[in-house]
Amino acid sequence: MILLLVILVLLVIAFAMDRWPIDLVALVSLCALLAGDLVSPQEAIAGFSNPAVITVMMMFIVSEGLVKSGLVDLLANWIAGLAGRSSGMASMSLLTLAGTLSAFINNTASVAIFMPGAIHLAKQYRFSPSKLLLPLSYACIFGGTCTLIGTSTNLLVHAMAEQLPPEVGAHGFGVFDFAIFGVPLFFLGMAYVFFFGHRLLPSRSVSTSLTRSYDMSAFLTEVKVPSSSRLVGKTPLEEQLSERFRLNVLEIRRGGEHISQNLRHTPMLADDTLIIRGATQDIVSFRQQYGLLLLTDIKLRDSNLADENNILAEVQLSPMSALENQSLKEIDFRRRYGCFVLAVKKPGETIRDKVAMIPLRRWDTLLVYGPRVRIEALQQMEDFVSLEEQNIRLSLSRTWWISPAIVLAVVALASFGLTSILEASIYGAVAMIATGRLRIQEAYRAVNWTVIFLIAAVLPFGTAMENTGLAEVIGNGLAASGQALGPFFVLSLIYLATSLLTEIMSNNSTVVLMVPVAASVAMGLGVDVTPFLFAVAFGGSSSFLTPMGYNTNAMVLAPGGYSFRDYVRLGWPLKVIFWIVSTLMIPIIWPF
């Protein structure tokens, strides 16, 4: 038990530090369990065949099929285009739609779909996106709790409940078993963010000036090449401008022509205007050595950069990106994608190194500049999440209805008890591929393998807690308190512990640790385990205080310009409200 406690403490610390990929931390911890003989080899790999893991994997594919149909994008665009109505109504409509869809598709996908619409809506009504993006994350969390398939947390509790010993008396859950409490909680949470979101969140200038938000004003300028300059007739490669001055030539403007491709080999002519990026001292040295002319002392702004051919835009590295842990130089970003990265925002970090040498991580935000066609192509790639509304006409194909029909069939099969949720999800995933809604390669890419390996690697911790007796010791201790103070007190304590742990660990990791404890407590008190399992499920999806507690919270950190304090300020009253309401209502809906 002592060894297991040490491993658990180190696991929590590693998750909280967020210095290493969470799936890697989980796999290393699994190796520690094996090395310590806390689980057998068969128990260690059991997570990879667990029904919850397979179900989550299949639902990633089903969700991607629905997203690819274009229906969700069309609905999001329709909500974002509610110009002429009140900003409050438009905001609430977008949040409600995002939260409702999160009950049936992956939360991360829902935020990725609606985030550009939220930013666009904020621009339309002239308020800061920081007022809307964190509420969007919360809305998707609320919505995910309403159904069994809405979040991997619920699926995991369901799978672990089915594997508990028979004497516990636990059973699995239906698709809409969570809705009886999840739906009222959804409306309570939505009312909170509607009435208090604008008041408690700061108004930060996030998207109105991209160059200013990245502190690019001192590093971006334009110079003119006079006929007397020795740059005339030379190319940037010949003069080694990048190596000698650490400068990037972003564009050559020659009369009415904007040259932004193959710049390294383009000879510069007299009267060319160069848009360059670099440190102030390097720009000054460059100007003096080549006798260049500064066109203006006014810093270059977004309007100077954006024209009909070249645009400035933000994209975010998606959690499924193959580019993670590579630098822009290693990726050869400029040659590979045909556009420049002017700056990088890393959530909660101050960048001091050269941009090209910084290893990229999920949710990093890139400020990119280049031809409109290249930027729009970049925004469509699965490695990136677009943070700006695209002026692309949305339309539905003739067979768009097949994907929603498959999703409804999955829900119906599981809801009416015709098949298990595992079977239904497998049928749905295969149907998406067989009907051509997804190519097999897209299905592979749709799976968030970080989540899959994380769940599979932490599931054996529940087994280890049972094997060592740690779950029983903790459960008996809580049960002893419950004998004096009652099961209401213990349930409240379990919900609170789960909801606090999920702020520093992943929701799935927290649930794996708390389900065995909940089962032991119920057995010690001699009461039904069901209310305790629901307390763990809802507590595990109540991450409102930190950006690292939930994927969707991390997604909006950089685009919203949030600080850690912003999460605490908006989240702690909601945390307390959910705790109190859950403590009072769960035992009424699911009696002891």
Side-chain angles (χ1 to χ4, degrees):
M1 281 191 287
I2 293 174
L3 177 59
L4 180 57
L5 278 172
V6 170
I7 296 174
L8 286 173
V9 169
L10 293 176
L11 179 70
V12 171
I13 292 173
F15 279 142
M17 291 177 65
D18 196 30
R19 291 185 60 183
W20 306 279
I22 57 176
D23 46 346
L24 175 61
V25 171
L27 288 169
V28 170
S29 302
L30 177 61
C31 291
L33 294 184
L34 266 174
D37 201 27
L38 300 177
V39 293
S40 67
Q42 292 74 21
E43 290 170 333
I45 64 172
F48 291 93
S49 62
N50 186 277
V53 176
I54 306 302
T55 302
V56 170
M57 187 187 302
M58 296 299 107
M59 288 309 300
F60 274 128
I61 298 173
V62 173
S63 295
E64 180 67 11
L66 182 61
V67 171
K68 292 280 287 185
S69 72
L71 177 62
V72 178
D73 283 319
L74 198 65
L75 291 173
N77 192 63
W78 174 70
I79 289 293
L82 287 176
R85 301 187 182 184
S86 69
S87 61
M89 181 182 295
S91 299
M92 201 59 187
S93 298
L94 183 136
L95 295 179
T96 303
L97 179 58
T100 302
L101 283 172
S102 290
F104 302 100
I105 69 172
N106 178 261
N107 290 347
T108 303
S110 187
V111 171
I113 291 165
F114 286 94
M115 190 156 52
I119 295 174
H120 177 69
L121 186 147
K123 288 180 180 178
Q124 275 193 336
Y125 292 100
R126 298 188 179 183
F127 63 85
S128 172
S130 62
K131 297 286 189 180
L132 191 56
L133 291 179
L134 190 54
L136 173 64
S137 172
Y138 287 178
C140 292
I141 294 175
F142 303 152
T145 64
C146 293
T147 66
L148 176 62
I149 63 176
T151 172
S152 57
T153 306
N154 292 354
L155 283 167
L156 195 51
V157 172
H158 162 76
M160 294 188 71
E162 289 187 321
Q163 293 185 345
L164 289 173
E167 58 269 22
V168 177
H171 56 81
F173 305 111
V175 174
F176 293 107
D177 285 356
F178 293 85
I180 190 171
F181 182 51
V183 172
L185 209 60
F186 172 81
F187 285 111
L188 176 63
M190 294 297 289
Y192 174 83
V193 298
F194 180 72
F195 287 110
F196 297 102
H198 270 261
R199 300 178 185 180
L200 295 179
L201 287 172
S203 181
R204 293 207 173 97
S205 214
V206 179
S207 299
T208 53
S209 177
L210 294 179
T211 53
R212 185 166 60 252
S213 71
Y214 283 83
D215 194 24
M216 290 291 298
S217 57
F219 301 95
L220 201 62
T221 189
E222 51 184 339
V223 294
K224 189 171 184 178
V225 182
S227 57
S228 58
S229 174
R230 56 191 179 89
L231 266 185
V232 175
K234 303 291 185 179
T235 68
L237 181 61
E238 289 173 350
E239 293 299 300
Q240 297 182 325
L241 300 185
S242 178
E243 290 77 14
R244 291 171 56 205
F245 299 99
R246 292 175 292 177
L247 294 174
N248 285 325
V249 179
L250 306 181
E251 185 179 88
I252 299 175
R253 295 185 176 178
R254 184 172 295 161
E257 185 180 6
H258 296 254
I259 304 170
S260 58
Q261 298 188 52
N262 198 31
L263 290 176
R264 290 167 60 84
H265 302 283
T266 301
M268 288 167 279
L269 305 180
D271 297 325
D272 279 355
T273 298
L274 311 180
I275 296 180
I276 58 176
R277 173 189 173 273
T280 303
Q281 59 184 14
D282 294 325
I283 292 173
V284 171
S285 298
F286 177 54
R287 172 179 175 265
Q288 289 177 341
Q289 289 193 30
Y290 287 97
L292 304 174
L293 305 174
L294 289 177
L295 298 187
T296 175
D297 290 329
I298 301 174
K299 304 301 182 184
L300 194 62
R301 300 178 180 176
D302 298 346
S303 57
N304 301 114
L305 287 170
D307 56 41
E308 61 180 10
N309 299 311
N310 296 285
I311 60 174
L312 192 67
E314 286 181 299
V315 295
Q316 199 174 56
L317 206 68
S318 81
M320 293 167 285
S321 176
L323 306 180
E324 189 173 11
N325 297 322
Q326 298 182 66
S327 68
L328 295 172
K329 184 176 181 179
E330 291 171 332
I331 297 167
D332 197 5
F333 194 97
R334 179 173 173 179
R335 187 183 303 275
R336 185 172 179 177
Y337 298 107
C339 50
F340 298 92
V341 176
L342 302 183
V344 178
K345 268 187 182 178
K346 301 181 81 66
E349 296 183 32
T350 300
I351 298 175
R352 302 185 185 278
D353 298 325
K354 191 175 180 181
V355 170
M357 309 304 295
I358 301 168
L360 298 178
R361 297 186 64 186
R362 65 189 63 186
W363 312 132
D364 284 353
T365 307
L366 311 181
L367 181 64
V368 293
Y369 174 71
R372 181 179 295 274
V373 174
R374 292 298 187 101
I375 299 294
E376 289 178 350
L378 192 73
Q379 292 170 330
Q380 296 295 320
M381 294 179 182
E382 295 181 352
D383 286 318
F384 304 99
V385 176
S386 172
L387 299 184
E388 290 201 329
E389 190 72 11
Q390 300 176 39
N391 296 318
I392 299 174
R393 185 176 179 180
L394 300 176
S395 60
L396 296 173
S397 65
R398 293 181 179 179
T399 56
W400 67 269
W401 54 271
I402 295 178
S403 293
I406 291 173
V407 174
L408 290 175
V410 170
V411 174
L413 285 172
S415 301
F416 295 113
L418 300 176
T419 66
S420 68
I421 182 61
L422 173 61
E423 288 180 83
S425 65
I426 293 174
Y427 295 151
V430 174
M432 286 291 184
I433 301 168
T435 58
R437 302 306 93 198
L438 288 174
R439 298 192 305 274
I440 189 69
Q441 293 83 0
E442 291 175 326
Y444 291 140
R445 289 195 295 266
V447 178
N448 188 331
W449 295 105
T450 294
V451 172
I452 298 303
F453 275 87
L454 173 65
I455 297 175
V458 298
L459 272 172
F461 275 90
T463 305
M465 292 178 72
E466 295 288 345
N467 292 345
T468 60
L470 180 61
E472 184 178 358
V473 169
I474 297 174
N476 288 340
L478 290 173
S481 302
Q483 297 291 351
L485 300 172
F488 277 95
F489 171 80
V490 179
L491 182 138
S492 179
L493 190 61
I494 286 178
Y495 179 96
L496 180 62
T498 306
S499 66
L500 291 177
L501 274 176
T502 198
E503 299 293 354
I504 56 174
M505 298 170 58
S506 75
N507 50 329
N508 296 315
S509 306
T510 301
V511 164
V512 168
L513 297 182
M514 293 304 297
V515 166
V517 173
S520 296
V521 167
M523 290 183 65
L525 291 173
V527 297
D528 188 3
V529 71
T530 303
F532 294 98
L533 293 177
F534 276 106
V536 171
F538 284 104
S541 292
S542 62
S543 177
F544 308 125
L545 298 180
T546 65
M548 66 272 194
Y550 215 87
N551 259 349
T552 58
N553 287 350
M555 286 179 71
V556 301
L557 177 65
Y562 296 118
S563 65
F564 190 91
R565 185 180 301 176
D566 297 328
Y567 287 81
V568 175
R569 188 178 183 187
L570 182 64
W572 80 260
L574 187 61
K575 194 87 164 178
V576 173
I577 292 171
F578 274 32
W579 174 38
I580 295 173
V581 171
S582 298
T583 300
L584 296 175
M585 296 304 299
I586 287 177
I588 295 176
I589 299 172
W590 298 283
F592 295 111

